[in-house]
Amino acid sequence: FFVLKFTTTIKNKKDHPFYKELKDQKYSLYDFLNQQFVPNFDNMHVRFLCGDNSMPFGAANKSHLELAKKNLLNANMLFGITEMFDESIIYLKKELGWTNPYYSKVNVAKTHNLSPTSIDSETKEMILKCNQFDLELYQFAKELFVERIKMLGPDFKKEVDLFKEKNSQIKARLSLRNYFRSFITRFTQG
């Protein structure tokens, strides 16, 4: 889905390096992936976590995946899971000694008309091929994250529930503050 959102974003951003290429050539998502323009569209997370983001498109393999998994197992490697965002925040709070890590959503991407169900089977197959190791890494990371928060004991869930409640109470204040901050930043930069 990341690839789908990103290529849609490219088509709408005139200053993107691949905007002209996509527009002029009228590439479909399948064609764009098949051209292998952007190496990070090929198992991006495995590339970053194995420490070799310079490899060519299609070069990520099982050994890179195993190295990425090994790096995630390192006790000093902290990470969270997007679908478990509040749990991730509290986990990081505990590990890093944060206080009051409340948040509000800012800079949220616009939704696009494309959806995974509107993609033909050939394109879906290409997307899965380009992300096969990332999908396996994600499943591994999610299981590892769940194990890490289980080790924090039964009070962890209570803390997350309390955090969600408090965060929702102050979210309006944070949103207003972030709105004014971004407004002021736009007019004071450059």
Side-chain angles (χ1 to χ4, degrees):
F1 192 68
F2 166 76
V3 170
L4 177 64
K5 278 180 81 168
F6 194 75
T7 54
T8 304
T9 301
I10 292 171
K11 289 179 181 179
N12 294 320
K13 272 190 99 172
K14 292 181 181 181
D15 61 340
H16 193 281
F18 290 106
Y19 171 81
K20 186 169 174 29
E21 185 78 26
L22 274 171
K23 186 177 182 236
D24 291 350
Q25 299 299 323
K26 298 189 182 355
Y27 284 124
S28 67
L29 177 56
Y30 177 87
D31 295 332
F32 186 77
L33 291 173
N34 200 38
Q35 291 293 326
Q36 302 181 351
F37 287 124
V38 183
N40 285 343
F41 279 11
D42 170 50
N43 296 294
M44 177 180 70
H45 293 95
V46 167
R47 290 166 169 276
F48 289 147
L49 285 169
C50 81
D52 187 0
N53 192 35
S54 64
M55 69 180 95
F57 196 105
N61 59 42
K62 207 64 160 155
S63 65
H64 295 111
L65 170 64
E66 293 308 316
L67 182 55
K69 286 179 179 180
K70 180 181 173 190
N71 287 338
L72 278 181
L73 285 168
N74 181 332
N76 295 321
M77 174 66 79
L78 297 177
F79 64 92
I81 302 293
T82 303
E83 295 80 42
M84 301 173 74
F85 191 78
D86 291 321
E87 291 83 352
S88 299
I89 293 291
I90 297 303
Y91 171 71
L92 293 171
K93 173 191 171 192
K94 289 183 161 304
E95 295 295 319
L96 298 172
W98 291 349
T99 57
N100 303 324
Y102 302 109
Y103 68 91
S104 65
K105 295 178 183 180
V106 294
N107 199 20
V108 178
K110 296 175 186 170
T111 58
H112 300 286
N113 294 335
L114 290 173
S115 72
T117 56
S118 68
I119 302 172
D120 63 87
S121 60
E122 187 178 47
T123 303
K124 283 182 188 176
E125 197 173 302
M126 177 65 86
I127 291 169
L128 290 172
K129 178 183 172 197
C130 291
N131 291 282
Q132 66 181 342
F133 299 120
D134 270 0
L135 291 169
E136 194 174 328
L137 179 64
Y138 170 77
Q139 196 58 43
F140 176 82
K142 189 172 183 180
E143 291 169 11
L144 179 59
F145 182 74
V146 167
E147 284 302 311
R148 286 183 178 178
I149 62 175
K150 276 183 185 174
M151 291 185 341
L152 295 173
D155 288 340
F156 182 80
K157 183 178 177 351
K158 291 176 190 171
E159 188 173 349
V160 169
D161 291 341
L162 182 62
F163 169 74
K164 286 179 181 181
E165 186 179 317
K166 284 183 177 179
N167 194 62
S168 67
Q169 292 170 0
I170 67 162
K171 202 175 274 191
R173 283 186 292 167
L174 288 173
S175 294
L176 188 60
R177 184 189 71 190
N178 288 332
Y179 171 77
F180 284 116
R181 182 178 290 156
S182 69
F183 181 79
I184 290 168
T185 302
R186 265 188 272 154
F187 290 102
T188 59
Q189 289 181 341

